């Protein structure tokens, strides 16, 4: 049992076996094959015939020039052939990236050498072809010095029946992605029956039955693809003679475990037939297996979002304060996503998915693991990177399950050219231009302008100006967002629920005379600072988007005007450091927001009415 | 004069299968709530849930019941109904009942929830040829030969009449942004029988009285059309007698239908 499986609290998950049938929501741990991996130089099972082993494990594997361009790739097997760049042109030498496990040969860069002759051989090659600008043939390697024989090439678009490996002139359909994905190609050359079998990632693509003596040559050349972006060579292993199929599986698995990142849990999204062509990493298998949660599960109503600003307030007395934002990502966003009506099988898959999220690959050597790309609910983004924090699973009856997951989005509240924006789906927010048409109440527009104070989000409220339900547009300049008779607003024009609850604490100081009495004292000026919650229940998707965009644009700390309801009716200045949104049902949203009164003016020239100035 | 659509023989199909209905009722309910805002005005009416319709039908049992009408079974798939030229794509059966009275034909009542929008304005009257060409059923269930076994009903002797009702709740689950459910599950499945008899044997105890019985619906010629098995408890007994009459007892039998989980 793999460490992945043993780390889950779910039973009946096994490693992928291509001789099995699978049903939707079945879970597998994909590890290329179910056998063990074996280092190429391990001889505990007997002599293997290892004669060549090029790897990127150590700087000692390479010869470099003063520019750290590769002039030689040295064989780990002593006494065997090495690969060199003979060309004196620096640009013809390959690049080595010391942070990576490969050398790249692009354009006309080449490595070649001799001493690899063998009539029968097993050659395992781990490499990655960078997506080319065209899909013509690229040479991965060649044996011998001919121009058309002894070649392994790749060509075609990255799709089934187009992508091909080519041995001399015989083409074989690739079964896995050939570009920007790591591949293990194994050639099994048997001179006794003149057959040359080719395998891609453990799957036999076919047999080249008429190979010539070039394939027995000791001359080996890598690269040389003028005009192409390159091939990344990770490792080359060469055995003379023959190996049995178990040994080949073991060496392929060694390469797989070392280089592949697409191992781990996969979930069946269809009934999966038998056969390795249906394994998760093949073109065909991608229609059957997935790691994408959005392929498997759909969010239910009741899902909610909450935002809170990370602020450090500074108080100045007399009810004055300012908010210091902690970094540019002021807003923290959390989502309570609900998956309801799941069958037991679906719940099992989702719980396993949740438990396995920390096993996701790291973003880089310097960052943590990658989050879950989640399609959020209206009006938030699709494909938002989130981190699953906790899960609640409840079941009211047999085969009916409800799962709540709390997820946090870390990177989505960031500054971009449109100013502060977070997770709202930008495709629903249009940029206003002179030719924009079709306006409806609560439509949100971004207005670009060189004038900083005019740039930003505007809300169409033409209805309030007597323009019925909307306008077809384009609008006259005076009705534009910055026009004299604008149909747009930047104010908080939304009406809260008729039910509201406002409580107020007067700001006073007390002096406590022990064993006697208390004395209350005025705490400077402006003792009445409101802090209250406003709610917007049962709002349409359009109005919810407008409210959320307004709050999101204020980023948790910007000040705006708010008119208190009856009987207060006074317009005060507030900021909104946190709010919640629940998608109750189609066109039915509930939003609650905390408003805190802010006494300073939000113009740049703030004046403290009680400011004390010292004079000399 | 306004046109009223007339039906002589009700055309009613479920999953393309003909049912000889003598009554069909259809209703639609939108659950809406007013949205009142702080200035005292009405902003809108907001949907609280999906459009949920109710469809009920009374029909003669003319053959064995299809699996999709097994209310307490595991089949929870949607059913397609066709009535008066209008197709309803998302029907979910939630109850089935019938009464067996001496010498009476047996009429089954079935109720469905349905979801989605419906082109109800397309309801059409049957053509004369449709009415004339409608095939007559070969079998019609009748109480004459139908029975309820009393072997598992301790003390019950002559059953005068009985009725059966099976029902379940159908919670609907929606994907966000959709108003037609992706799944309508079955919950709280139960079967109930009411019977009248000359005797009920011992009175029930605090945990009722265990009962196993079989209801067999047959046509006049003893052709078995449908069998219902109930294994539950008798939880109510009643004794009625009036002057000059016979003692008539009645009882209710209740079964909570469960499904054992299988290991996944």
């Amino acid at each position: 049992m793999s460490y992945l499986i043993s780390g889950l609290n779910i039973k009946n998950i096994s490693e992928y076996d291509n001789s099995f049938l699978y049903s939707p929501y079945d879970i597998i741990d994909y590890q290329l094959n179910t056998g063990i991996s074996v280092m190429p130089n391990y001889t505990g099972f007997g002599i293997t015939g290892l004669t060549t082993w090029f790897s990127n494990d150590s700087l000692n594997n390479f010869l470099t020039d003063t520019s750290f361009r590769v002039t030689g790739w040295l064989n780990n097997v002593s006494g065997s052939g090495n690969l060199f760049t003979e060309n004196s042109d620096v640009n013809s030498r390959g690049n080595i990236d010391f942070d990576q496990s490969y050398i790249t040969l692009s354009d006309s860069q080449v490595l070649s050498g001799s001493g690899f002759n063998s009539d029968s051989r097993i050659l395992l090659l781990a490499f990655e072809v960078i997506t080319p600008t065209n899909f013509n043939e690229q040479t991965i390697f060649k044996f011998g010095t001919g121009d058309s024989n002894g070649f392994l090439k790749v060509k075609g678009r990255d799709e089934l029946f187009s992508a091909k490996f080519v041995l001399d002139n015989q083409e074989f359909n690739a079964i896995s992605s050939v570009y920007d994905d790591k591949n293990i190609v194994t050639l099994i050359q048997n001179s006794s029956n003149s057959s040359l079998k080719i395998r891609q990632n453990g799957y036999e693509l076919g047999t080249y039955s008429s190979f010539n003596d070039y394939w027995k040559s000791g001359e080996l050349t890598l690269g040389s693809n003028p005009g192409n972006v390159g091939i990344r060579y990770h490792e080359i292993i060469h055995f003379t003679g023959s190996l049995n199929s178990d040994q080949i599986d073991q060496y392929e698995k060694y390469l797989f475990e070392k280089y592949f990142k697409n191992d781990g849990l996969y979930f069946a999204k269809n009934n999966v037939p038998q056969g390795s062509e249906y394994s998760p990493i093949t073109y065909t298998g991608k229609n059957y297996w997935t790691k994408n949660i959005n392929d498997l599960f759909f969010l239910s109503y009741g899902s909610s979002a909450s935002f809170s600003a990370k602020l450090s307030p500074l108080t100045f007395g007399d009810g004055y304060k300012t908010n210091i934002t902690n970094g540019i990502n002021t807003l923290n966003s959390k989502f309570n996503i609900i998956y309801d009506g799941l069958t037991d099988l679906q719940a099992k898959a989702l719980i396993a998915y949740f438990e396995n999220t920390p096993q996701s690959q790291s973003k880089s050597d310097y960052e943590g693991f990658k989050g879950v790309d989640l399609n959020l609910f209206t009006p938030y983004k699709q494909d938002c990177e989130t981190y699953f924090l906790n899960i609640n699973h409840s079941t009211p009856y047999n085969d009916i399950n409800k799962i709540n997951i709390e997820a946090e989005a870390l990177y989505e509240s960031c500054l971009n050219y449109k100013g502060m924006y977070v997770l709202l789906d930008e495709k629903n927010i249009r940029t206003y231009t002179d030719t924009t048409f079709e306006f409806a109440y609560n439509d949100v527009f971004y207005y670009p302008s060189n004038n900083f104070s005019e740039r930003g989000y505007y809300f169409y409220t033409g209805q309030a100006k007597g323009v019925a339900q909307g306008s077809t547009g384009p609008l006259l300049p005076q009705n534009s967002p910055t026009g004299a008779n604008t149909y747009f607003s930047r104010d908080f024009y939304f009406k809260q629920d008729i039910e509201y609850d406002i409580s107020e604490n007067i700001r006073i100081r007390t002096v406590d005379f022990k064993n006697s009495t208390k004395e209350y004292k005025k705490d400077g000026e402006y003792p009445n600072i409101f802090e209250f919650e406003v709610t917007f229940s049962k709002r349409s998707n359009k109005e919810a988007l407008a409210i959320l965009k307004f709050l999101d644009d204020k980023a948790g700390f910007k000040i705006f005007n708010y008119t208190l309801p009856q009987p207060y009716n006074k317009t005060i200045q507030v900021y909104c450091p946190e709010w919640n949104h629940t998608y109750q049902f189609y066109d039915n949203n509930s939003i609650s927001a905390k408003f805190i009164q802010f006494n300073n003016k939000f113009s740049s020239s703030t004046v403290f009415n009680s400011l004390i100035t010292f004079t000399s | 004069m306004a046109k009223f659509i007339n039906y002589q023989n009700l055309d009613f199909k479920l999953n393309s299968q003909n049912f000889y209905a003598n009554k069909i009722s259809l209703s639609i309910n939108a659950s809406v709530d007013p949205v009142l805002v702080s200035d005292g005005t009405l902003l809108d009416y907001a949907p609280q849930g999906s459009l949920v319709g109710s469809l009920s039908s009374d029909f003669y049992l003319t053959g064995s019941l299809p699996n999709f009408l097994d209310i307490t079974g595991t089949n929870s798939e949607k059913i397609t109904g066709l009535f008066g030229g209008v197709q309803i794509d998302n029907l979910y059966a939630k109850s089935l009942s019938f009464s067996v009275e001496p010498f009476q034909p047996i009429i089954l009542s079935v109720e469905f929830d349905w979801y989605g929008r419906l082109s109800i304005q397309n309801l059409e009257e049957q053509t004369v040829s449709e009415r004339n060409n409608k095939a007559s059923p070969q079998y019609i269930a009748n109480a004459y030969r139908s029975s309820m076994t009393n072997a598992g009903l301790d003390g019950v002797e002559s059953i005068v009449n009985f009725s059966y009702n099976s029902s379940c709740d159908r919670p609907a689950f929606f994907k966000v942004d959709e108003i037609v459910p992706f799944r309508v599950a079955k919950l709280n499945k139960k079967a109930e029988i009411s019977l009248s008899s000359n005797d009920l044997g011992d009175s029930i105890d605090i945990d009722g009285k265990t009962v196993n019985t079989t209801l067999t619906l047959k046509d006049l010629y003893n052709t078995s059309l449908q069998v219902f098995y109930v294994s539950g408890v008798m939880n109510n007994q009643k004794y009625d007698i009036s002057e000059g009459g016979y003692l008539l007892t009645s009882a209710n039998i209740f079964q909570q239908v469960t499904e054992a989980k299988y290991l996944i």
Side-chain angles (χ1 to χ4, degrees), chain A residues 555-577:
Chain A
F557 68 91
K558 296 183 188 174
I559 313 302
F560 55 93
N561 284 330
Y562 172 72
T563 303
L564 290 163
Q566 190 98 308
Y568 306 91
N569 294 325
K570 184 180 178 183
T571 298
I572 61 172
Q573 291 149 16
V574 297
Y575 66 98
C576 177

Short mmCIF file of all heavy atoms in Angstrom, two decimals, chain A residues 555-577:
data_model
loop_
_atom_site.label_atom_id
_atom_site.label_comp_id
_atom_site.label_asym_id
_atom_site.label_seq_id
_atom_site.Cartn_x
_atom_site.Cartn_y
_atom_site.Cartn_z
N ALA A 555 -12.43 47.35 -0.43
CA ALA A 555 -11.28 46.60 0.08
C ALA A 555 -11.21 46.52 1.60
O ALA A 555 -10.15 46.26 2.16
CB ALA A 555 -9.98 47.19 -0.46
N GLY A 556 -12.31 46.76 2.26
CA GLY A 556 -12.32 46.57 3.71
C GLY A 556 -11.89 47.77 4.52
O GLY A 556 -12.03 47.77 5.74
N PHE A 557 -11.37 48.81 3.85
CA PHE A 557 -10.89 49.95 4.65
C PHE A 557 -11.26 51.31 4.06
O PHE A 557 -11.18 52.33 4.74
CB PHE A 557 -9.37 49.87 4.85
CG PHE A 557 -8.58 50.09 3.60
CD1 PHE A 557 -8.15 51.35 3.24
CD2 PHE A 557 -8.27 49.02 2.77
CE1 PHE A 557 -7.42 51.56 2.08
CE2 PHE A 557 -7.54 49.21 1.61
CZ PHE A 557 -7.11 50.49 1.27
N LYS A 558 -11.64 51.36 2.78
CA LYS A 558 -11.96 52.66 2.18
C LYS A 558 -13.29 53.18 2.72
O LYS A 558 -14.21 52.41 3.01
CB LYS A 558 -12.01 52.53 0.66
CG LYS A 558 -10.68 52.16 0.04
CD LYS A 558 -10.81 52.12 -1.46
CE LYS A 558 -9.55 51.58 -2.09
NZ LYS A 558 -9.70 51.40 -3.54
N ILE A 559 -13.36 54.49 2.81
CA ILE A 559 -14.50 55.14 3.45
C ILE A 559 -15.56 55.51 2.41
O ILE A 559 -15.23 55.91 1.29
CB ILE A 559 -14.05 56.43 4.17
CG1 ILE A 559 -12.79 56.15 4.99
CG2 ILE A 559 -15.16 57.01 5.05
CD1 ILE A 559 -12.94 55.07 6.01
N PHE A 560 -16.82 55.34 2.77
CA PHE A 560 -17.90 55.77 1.89
C PHE A 560 -19.06 56.28 2.73
O PHE A 560 -19.11 56.06 3.95
CB PHE A 560 -18.35 54.62 0.97
CG PHE A 560 -18.75 53.36 1.70
CD1 PHE A 560 -20.08 53.12 2.04
CD2 PHE A 560 -17.80 52.40 2.03
CE1 PHE A 560 -20.45 51.95 2.69
CE2 PHE A 560 -18.17 51.23 2.70
CZ PHE A 560 -19.49 51.01 3.03
N ASN A 561 -19.95 56.98 2.06
CA ASN A 561 -21.12 57.55 2.74
C ASN A 561 -22.22 56.51 2.87
O ASN A 561 -22.45 55.71 1.95
CB ASN A 561 -21.68 58.74 1.96
CG ASN A 561 -20.82 59.97 2.13
OD1 ASN A 561 -20.18 60.15 3.18
ND2 ASN A 561 -20.78 60.81 1.11
N TYR A 562 -22.89 56.56 4.00
CA TYR A 562 -24.01 55.65 4.21
C TYR A 562 -25.10 56.42 4.95
O TYR A 562 -24.83 57.08 5.96
CB TYR A 562 -23.58 54.44 5.04
CG TYR A 562 -24.72 53.56 5.46
CD1 TYR A 562 -25.37 52.75 4.52
CD2 TYR A 562 -25.18 53.54 6.77
CE1 TYR A 562 -26.43 51.94 4.89
CE2 TYR A 562 -26.23 52.73 7.16
CZ TYR A 562 -26.86 51.94 6.20
OH TYR A 562 -27.91 51.15 6.57
N THR A 563 -26.32 56.35 4.43
CA THR A 563 -27.43 57.04 5.08
C THR A 563 -28.15 56.07 5.99
O THR A 563 -28.67 55.04 5.54
CB THR A 563 -28.40 57.61 4.03
OG1 THR A 563 -27.68 58.49 3.18
CG2 THR A 563 -29.55 58.36 4.70
N LEU A 564 -28.14 56.40 7.28
CA LEU A 564 -28.79 55.54 8.26
C LEU A 564 -30.30 55.52 8.00
O LEU A 564 -30.87 56.49 7.53
CB LEU A 564 -28.52 56.07 9.67
CG LEU A 564 -27.08 55.92 10.16
CD1 LEU A 564 -26.84 56.83 11.35
CD2 LEU A 564 -26.81 54.47 10.53
N PRO A 565 -30.95 54.37 8.33
CA PRO A 565 -32.40 54.28 8.09
C PRO A 565 -33.17 55.12 9.11
O PRO A 565 -32.61 55.67 10.06
CB PRO A 565 -32.66 52.79 8.25
CG PRO A 565 -31.59 52.32 9.17
CD PRO A 565 -30.39 53.16 8.89
N GLN A 566 -34.49 55.15 8.88
CA GLN A 566 -35.42 55.79 9.82
C GLN A 566 -35.20 55.21 11.22
O GLN A 566 -35.04 54.00 11.31
CB GLN A 566 -36.84 55.49 9.34
CG GLN A 566 -37.91 56.25 10.03
CD GLN A 566 -38.34 57.45 9.21
OE1 GLN A 566 -37.49 58.22 8.81
NE2 GLN A 566 -39.61 57.58 8.96
N PRO A 567 -35.15 55.94 12.28
CA PRO A 567 -35.42 57.37 12.38
C PRO A 567 -34.15 58.23 12.35
O PRO A 567 -34.25 59.42 12.56
CB PRO A 567 -36.08 57.48 13.75
CG PRO A 567 -35.37 56.44 14.55
CD PRO A 567 -35.06 55.33 13.61
N TYR A 568 -32.99 57.60 12.11
CA TYR A 568 -31.74 58.37 12.14
C TYR A 568 -31.66 59.31 10.93
O TYR A 568 -31.48 60.51 11.07
CB TYR A 568 -30.54 57.44 12.15
CG TYR A 568 -30.56 56.40 13.24
CD1 TYR A 568 -31.13 55.15 13.04
CD2 TYR A 568 -30.02 56.68 14.50
CE1 TYR A 568 -31.16 54.21 14.04
CE2 TYR A 568 -30.04 55.72 15.50
CZ TYR A 568 -30.62 54.48 15.27
OH TYR A 568 -30.65 53.55 16.26
N ASN A 569 -31.71 58.66 9.74
CA ASN A 569 -31.75 59.40 8.46
C ASN A 569 -30.52 60.28 8.20
O ASN A 569 -30.54 61.08 7.27
CB ASN A 569 -33.02 60.24 8.35
CG ASN A 569 -34.26 59.37 8.28
OD1 ASN A 569 -34.23 58.30 7.70
ND2 ASN A 569 -35.34 59.82 8.91
N LYS A 570 -29.50 60.13 8.99
CA LYS A 570 -28.32 60.96 8.80
C LYS A 570 -27.31 60.20 7.93
O LYS A 570 -27.17 58.99 8.03
CB LYS A 570 -27.68 61.28 10.15
CG LYS A 570 -26.50 62.22 10.07
CD LYS A 570 -25.92 62.49 11.45
CE LYS A 570 -24.70 63.40 11.34
NZ LYS A 570 -24.06 63.62 12.64
N THR A 571 -26.65 60.95 7.08
CA THR A 571 -25.59 60.36 6.27
C THR A 571 -24.28 60.43 7.04
O THR A 571 -23.85 61.52 7.45
CB THR A 571 -25.46 61.08 4.93
OG1 THR A 571 -26.69 60.94 4.22
CG2 THR A 571 -24.32 60.49 4.10
N ILE A 572 -23.71 59.25 7.26
CA ILE A 572 -22.44 59.19 8.00
C ILE A 572 -21.39 58.54 7.11
O ILE A 572 -21.71 57.99 6.05
CB ILE A 572 -22.58 58.40 9.32
CG1 ILE A 572 -23.02 56.95 9.02
CG2 ILE A 572 -23.57 59.08 10.25
CD1 ILE A 572 -23.00 56.05 10.23
N GLN A 573 -20.15 58.60 7.59
CA GLN A 573 -19.08 57.95 6.86
C GLN A 573 -18.72 56.65 7.57
O GLN A 573 -18.60 56.62 8.80
CB GLN A 573 -17.86 58.86 6.79
CG GLN A 573 -18.10 60.05 5.91
CD GLN A 573 -17.33 61.26 6.34
OE1 GLN A 573 -16.39 61.17 7.12
NE2 GLN A 573 -17.73 62.42 5.84
N VAL A 574 -18.60 55.61 6.76
CA VAL A 574 -18.33 54.29 7.32
C VAL A 574 -17.27 53.58 6.49
O VAL A 574 -16.97 53.98 5.36
CB VAL A 574 -19.61 53.41 7.35
CG1 VAL A 574 -20.68 54.02 8.24
CG2 VAL A 574 -20.15 53.20 5.94
N TYR A 575 -16.74 52.53 7.06
CA TYR A 575 -15.99 51.55 6.27
C TYR A 575 -16.51 50.17 6.62
O TYR A 575 -17.16 49.99 7.66
CB TYR A 575 -14.47 51.67 6.49
CG TYR A 575 -13.98 51.33 7.86
CD1 TYR A 575 -13.44 50.07 8.13
CD2 TYR A 575 -14.02 52.25 8.89
CE1 TYR A 575 -12.97 49.75 9.39
CE2 TYR A 575 -13.55 51.94 10.16
CZ TYR A 575 -13.04 50.69 10.41
OH TYR A 575 -12.58 50.38 11.66
N CYS A 576 -16.26 49.23 5.74
CA CYS A 576 -16.82 47.88 5.92
C CYS A 576 -15.68 46.88 5.98
O CYS A 576 -15.17 46.45 4.94
CB CYS A 576 -17.76 47.55 4.75
SG CYS A 576 -18.42 45.88 4.84
N PRO A 577 -15.27 46.47 7.20
CA PRO A 577 -14.12 45.57 7.31
C PRO A 577 -14.44 44.10 7.09
O PRO A 577 -13.54 43.30 6.93
CB PRO A 577 -13.64 45.81 8.74
CG PRO A 577 -14.89 46.17 9.48
CD PRO A 577 -15.77 46.90 8.51
#
